[in-house]
Amino acid sequence: MTASQHTRSASPVTLLREWHERADGAALHEALFIGLGVDLPYLERVAVPLARDLSARVAILGDAAQETHDPVEVRGAGRDYLYAPTVCPGGLRAKLVVLLGEHACRIAIGGGTPGLPGWADDRLWTVVETEQDASNALLADVADWLDKLPDLDGVAMAPWAGEYLREIAGLLTERHIMADETPGPEARLLDNLDRSLLAQVPAGPVGELHVYAPAVDSTGDTLRELIARLSPARVRVGVHENWSGYTGALLRSALAGRPADVLVLPEQRPAHGRFAQWRIGEHWFALTGNADLTRAAFADTAAGGGGLDLAVRTVGTDLLPLGEGRTTSPAGLDALRGVAAGAELVLLGAQADGAGLRVVLSEAAREPVTVSTSADGSPGSWRELGTIASGATSAGFPPAAGLGPAVRGSVTRADGSVLHSAVVFAYSPAAAARPSETRLTPRPEPTPSTPPTPRPAAPTAVVAPRPIEAPAAPQATPTPRPPTPTPSPAAAPSPAPTPSPVAPAAPAATSALHVPTRTDLEPIPALPVEDSPYADAIEEFAAHGWVAGIEDGIWRITGSFGNPVPIAAVAATRLAQYGEAVLIQAGNERRWAFMAWDAPDLTLLNWPARNWRSYQIRPPADPESRFRGGDLASVPGRVGPLNRQIGDPPPALLRVLDEVGIGFAELVKTLQQIGG
């Protein structure tokens, strides 16, 4: 089945939620978002968790000169997804979403910037949907565009971003070639890589032309050329009094004496994308997208320095409504105009792997560029790594030098002032791989007939992770341990309710992030890590700066992190793979989170809030994917009362406590000792 829906109010977030609710439970393999003015914190709260929860690999491409986010608020770039700032002389104005599963696909072209209000549901998107390995001509068109984009003159992106786009292009091409059903050409993609959008509009005459595009040239030349090319008998133009760049003189000049109506729409941000539609006989042809009626967007090519735009040409009997408003003549309209400023120093990206950190500039440096990293991008947290020499476009830095995933470049001007680039985030291909390919499993337990398997050395840390990040992907996936009887770790005696700090100190040469040691905590007897059945998990936690211990059946995780909920979720997901129900508390005396996890039931207490939250989480989702963003308001799957007080335990929690042999009163007493 394929369906091309041209006027559907379906934002990319709606498409993700619909995929999440599929009756067949099909996984999502790839999620690609492209647009201008990317708002990473918004996407991390709304879109990325949904996509990762569906087992997707996620990539976001945005215009390097039009970033809108504060780097301090960015949490998952490079770890949970690839973010690739892209340089395009006229701006990366194309709005494209690709959702690709094993047998289904969704492509949306429109419509709005990746953020609010651009991804609101009232935007105009052209949505093409395919199921059961079917394809559509638009899939082949998008594949061709993605394959050409990295090599286009004037467009610059990190090499790994280009490789990713080519990979997605290959998957779409394969789907199209192998499909039994490839309907079309009722929806076709138009791009302006080497041919302008205007040149792809058919020649008239046509019966009627409707146009909606808030921005036009100051001279109206592009609108004039569009009208002349289609030669309509009548024109209808939708404008906003203060949001549109029209004047009465401009419209009269462009119309060249043709009859016209001007529909003045309500004073608000445009609720649609841009479109032109014309009627030939009984059929309406539409060109929808995000291209303004300016020379750079509609009449130039990206290769020639224009903006990078996409549009979809469709044919049907339906008319796209301009909206409600008052009708007037072309005279008397005023315009407000704005000027956008470009960036002087642009980093295309940074990639972290075993060889170190590689940083790429958009163009050769005129003078040395100082590269710095930070754990969270906040003021005062930046540490210099080194410089990119003048004349160079990239440089590599050793693994031990990495301090944090936020990366920026700086140059000193002649007057002594310092210019900083926009912040990019180190991309780790292993960590951002599809979640289903990075889930960890316990190492095999040695038996009398099998000698112990030596653990490999901990991988070198390229960039120290932020506290909320999940453990990095392992080099190999061990097989589950055999069900040999082992003593319960909960039986180890302990005189205090603080955790056993069994994690070894991280080698100083492999990470710049401080890992708390025994001297940081109250000294209590500890089980040697070599003898712990949870040694692999404990080592992974230590590599992320967390101290892990288990006492009286409850795991304790401490470290220098802010929001403890994602940390508890990561640890619960990892420890549950030993085949046991998990009780875990992460945080400190002021703020901590407690989780009880025994699939599919999860119970959460997020102190200092004093009420239980109950969830049901079913594969392919897990606690890590659900709580990755740390915003409880956006986590799906909540069940039961919304305000269950601490003295009223959920049934799922009681079942887990009964399984591990801990009474509810005993649990409450232990938690009160931790946080009052």
Side-chain angles (χ1 to χ4, degrees):
M1 180 275 288
T2 65
S4 178
Q5 304 189 29
H6 312 305
T7 60
R8 177 185 181 191
S9 294
S11 77
V13 175
T14 300
L15 296 178
L16 284 168
R17 287 173 178 162
E18 289 176 351
W19 200 300
H20 207 282
E21 296 167 359
R22 290 176 64 101
D24 59 5
L28 178 65
H29 290 184
E30 305 289 345
L32 170 62
F33 310 131
I34 297 178
L36 184 75
V38 170
D39 184 349
L40 289 182
Y42 169 80
L43 296 180
E44 288 184 354
R45 291 193 305 270
V46 177
V48 173
L50 283 171
R52 296 289 282 178
D53 196 26
L54 290 164
S55 298
R57 182 176 57 162
V58 180
I60 303 169
L61 267 71
D63 192 303
Q66 299 288 335
E67 295 179 334
T68 63
H69 53 263
D70 185 342
V72 176
E73 299 177 358
V74 176
R75 293 291 181 264
R79 297 283 301 176
D80 296 337
Y81 58 90
L82 164 64
Y83 174 57
T86 302
V87 171
C88 180
L92 179 59
R93 296 175 44 82
K95 311 298 189 296
L96 171 68
V97 172
V98 177
L99 304 178
L100 185 62
E102 185 174 1
H103 303 291
C105 180
R106 302 288 185 269
I107 290 181
I109 298 166
T113 57
L116 283 176
W119 276 19
D121 280 347
D122 61 353
R123 301 286 161 147
L124 177 64
W125 292 86
T126 297
V127 181
V128 170
E129 306 174 85
T130 69
E131 294 285 347
Q132 301 176 358
D133 294 319
S135 185
N136 183 284
L138 194 73
L139 270 68
D141 295 338
V142 170
D144 187 53
W145 184 77
L146 292 174
D147 187 63
K148 293 177 180 177
L149 183 58
D151 299 322
L152 185 70
D153 291 341
V155 172
M157 65 182 67
W160 51 90
E163 293 169 4
Y164 174 86
L165 293 184
R166 295 186 190 96
E167 183 178 348
I168 299 301
L171 294 173
L172 291 173
T173 300
E174 180 181 4
R175 175 70 53 85
H176 189 69
I177 292 174
M178 301 299 294
D180 294 330
E181 183 183 357
T182 57
E186 74 280 359
R188 296 304 300 263
L189 183 74
L190 304 184
D191 65 62
N192 68 335
L193 294 182
D194 49 22
R195 187 182 180 198
S196 73
L197 296 178
L198 180 61
Q200 299 174 69
V201 174
V206 301
E208 193 172 355
L209 170 65
H210 290 192
V211 177
Y212 176 86
V216 296
D217 321 274
S218 59
T219 61
D221 288 344
T222 306
L223 176 61
R224 184 183 304 106
E225 291 180 33
L226 174 64
I227 294 174
R229 186 175 184 88
L230 287 169
S231 187
R234 188 169 189 86
V235 179
R236 188 172 177 84
V237 181
V239 303
H240 296 272
E241 186 173 349
N242 291 322
W243 285 104
S244 300
Y246 293 80
T247 66
L250 182 150
L251 282 177
R252 287 193 298 271
S253 173
L255 291 168
R258 290 181 174 84
D261 294 326
V262 177
L263 185 65
V264 182
L265 302 171
E267 280 307 303
Q268 59 186 14
R269 285 187 177 274
H272 302 288
R274 282 71 162 150
F275 67 82
Q277 55 185 344
W278 54 92
R279 179 177 53 81
I280 301 177
E282 299 299 322
H283 293 280
W284 282 94
F285 297 80
L287 192 66
T288 59
N290 202 64
D292 288 316
L293 289 177
T294 61
R295 175 67 54 185
F298 202 73
D300 283 348
T301 65
L308 193 64
D309 277 284
L310 289 175
V312 179
R313 186 180 63 211
T314 58
V315 58
T317 58
D318 295 332
L319 175 67
L320 300 179
L322 283 169
E324 299 293 333
R326 69 183 190 273
T327 302
T328 185
S329 67
L333 296 179
D334 296 323
L336 296 179
R337 298 181 177 87
V339 179
E344 299 179 35
L345 174 62
V346 178
L347 268 62
L348 292 179
Q351 184 178 41
D353 54 28
L357 183 70
R358 182 186 177 197
V359 181
V360 181
L361 300 175
S362 63
E363 60 183 7
R366 301 184 185 92
E367 55 271 322
V369 176
T370 301
V371 175
S372 304
T373 66
S374 164
D376 57 11
S378 59
S381 66
W382 292 94
R383 176 177 174 180
E384 293 185 4
L385 295 184
T387 59
I388 300 177
S390 58
T393 58
S394 65
F397 302 93
L403 182 66
V407 183
R408 77 179 182 190
S410 307
V411 295
T412 302
R413 295 189 178 104
D415 61 3
S417 61
V418 177
L419 170 68
H420 298 299
S421 73
V423 175
V424 299
F425 299 90
Y427 169 55
S428 169
R434 289 189 61 211
S436 59
E437 299 172 355
T438 62
R439 292 292 183 260
L440 306 174
T441 54
R443 67 188 178 106
E445 196 71 14
T447 63
S449 59
T450 304
T453 303
R455 291 188 308 277
T460 300
V462 179
V463 178
R466 287 186 298 276
I468 67 167
E469 292 165 350
Q475 297 300 317
T477 303
T479 56
R481 59 181 174 135
T484 44
T486 57
S488 171
S494 175
T498 51
S500 302
V502 296
T510 62
S511 176
L513 184 66
H514 171 66
V515 179
T517 63
R518 300 178 190 275
T519 59
D520 297 315
L521 303 171
E522 181 181 346
I524 57 177
L527 182 67
V529 69
E530 293 289 342
D531 299 329
S532 171
Y534 308 104
D536 282 349
I538 292 169
E539 287 183 346
E540 292 165 15
F541 297 159
H544 290 270
W546 311 339
V547 173
I550 184 170
E551 185 168 351
D552 297 332
I554 301 176
W555 281 91
R556 291 283 310 281
I557 306 290
T558 60
S560 57
F561 43 79
N563 187 350
V565 173
I567 308 303
V570 168
T573 301
R574 176 63 178 92
L575 293 169
Q577 293 179 9
Y578 288 95
E580 305 165 353
V582 177
L583 303 179
I584 188 164
Q585 181 268 340
N588 51 50
E589 290 82 359
R590 294 184 303 276
R591 185 180 182 188
W592 49 266
F594 169 81
M595 280 187 182
W597 168 235
D598 187 17
D601 298 310
L602 184 142
T603 304
L604 169 67
L605 179 66
N606 186 26
W607 192 266
R610 294 173 177 265
N611 57 292
W612 300 103
R613 291 171 173 261
S614 298
Y615 300 86
Q616 285 203 336
I617 304 175
R618 303 184 185 279
D622 56 31
E624 177 185 348
S625 64
R626 282 288 169 89
F627 293 91
R628 184 189 309 275
D631 181 8
L632 298 183
S634 64
V635 176
R638 185 164 178 177
V639 297
L642 299 181
N643 193 26
R644 187 184 289 272
Q645 299 301 306
I646 192 170
D648 181 19
L653 174 61
L654 295 178
R655 287 195 297 271
V656 175
L657 293 178
D658 183 65
E659 181 177 339
V660 299
I662 297 178
F664 177 68
E666 180 184 354
L667 171 67
V668 172
K669 181 179 179 180
T670 301
L671 295 179
Q672 287 175 338
Q673 290 174 335
I674 297 170

